[in-house]
Amino acid sequence: FDYGYRPPETEAFAVQVEAFPSPTRPGFHLMHVGVQGKKLAKGERKPANLVFTIDVSGSMDAENRLGLAKQAMGMLARQLGDDDSVAIVVYGTTARVVLPPTNAGYQDRIQLAIMELGTSGSTNVQAGLELAYDVALKAFKPKGTNRIILCSDGVANNGITDADGIFAKVKSRASEGISLTTVGFGMG
């Protein structure tokens, strides 16, 4: 696949699609959808309030799950500036704050908190999201980007576990000005 996506000329995002017959499954096709956001100069981006909400349940105990999530969040944190903040909420059987909202200039503190994450327990997405919204609301940036980044393998088995129930909780909090991005790990 070509990962050199062209940036949009006028819109916020550009979408590029490639498809071809599967080389391993006759009768099937592979499709790759690439999304490229508008590239902003450093001074154009709004300050960010990010809450990394990371599944640390037992099912995440693999390099392509929690290991990859830690790498991705560490890489993202290094892209942030002094106007940005990062908090880390983890959830297994229960949810807890690992790093309260911290100025992104304190990279050593942020990177250490990410690297020290380990797995245990079941998967209570509901508890993780509820705590993440509370943390994001406390550090809310009125003229900034307020976002929860949920990292999980998608195997909820404690608290509200069905997609509709989780979506209802998220939808009820959306009016607070906090967006949610979900990133899946380890499922192929």
Side-chain angles (χ1 to χ4, degrees):
F1 295 112
D2 177 14
Y3 292 99
Y5 307 136
R6 291 179 308 279
E9 293 178 19
T10 57
E11 302 297 323
F13 292 95
V15 178
Q16 296 169 40
V17 179
E18 297 176 86
F20 58 88
S22 172
T24 58
R25 296 186 69 192
F28 287 84
H29 287 75
L30 296 176
M31 182 170 75
H32 179 253
V33 178
V35 178
Q36 175 66 54
K38 181 179 178 183
K39 302 221 180 204
L40 297 176
K42 209 168 195 151
E44 291 181 286
R45 187 177 60 77
K46 297 177 191 175
N49 164 31
L50 302 179
V51 180
F52 298 163
T53 307
I54 303 171
D55 179 351
V56 294
S57 67
S59 65
M60 289 288 286
D61 190 15
E63 194 53 37
N64 70 339
R65 294 184 186 197
L66 183 57
L68 188 56
K70 288 164 57 170
Q71 282 183 317
M73 293 304 100
M75 190 182 310
L76 174 57
R78 285 189 290 276
Q79 302 297 312
L80 300 174
D82 290 339
D83 291 341
D84 304 314
S85 68
V86 172
I88 300 174
V89 169
V90 297
Y91 64 92
T93 304
T94 60
R96 64 187 173 89
V97 176
V98 170
L99 182 73
T102 301
N103 181 286
Y106 293 99
Q107 280 297 309
D108 290 346
R109 190 177 302 166
I110 294 167
Q111 297 298 329
L112 182 62
I114 291 169
M115 298 310 350
E116 288 183 339
L117 298 177
T119 59
S120 71
S122 60
T123 312
N124 192 335
V125 177
Q126 173 192 356
L129 280 173
E130 287 178 2
L131 182 56
Y133 275 103
D134 291 344
V135 169
L137 201 53
K138 286 178 185 165
F140 192 81
K141 293 184 183 281
K143 294 184 180 185
T145 299
N146 297 279
R147 181 175 306 277
I148 293 169
I149 301 174
L150 177 71
C151 301
S152 177
D153 62 3
V155 184
N157 58 19
N158 194 350
I160 296 174
T161 59
D162 65 290
D164 290 337
I166 293 169
F167 179 70
K169 282 284 191 185
V170 169
K171 188 176 176 183
S172 73
R173 304 288 304 257
S175 64
E176 296 172 321
I178 300 165
S179 10
L180 172 69
T181 298
T182 60
V183 184
F185 291 88
M187 293 304 214

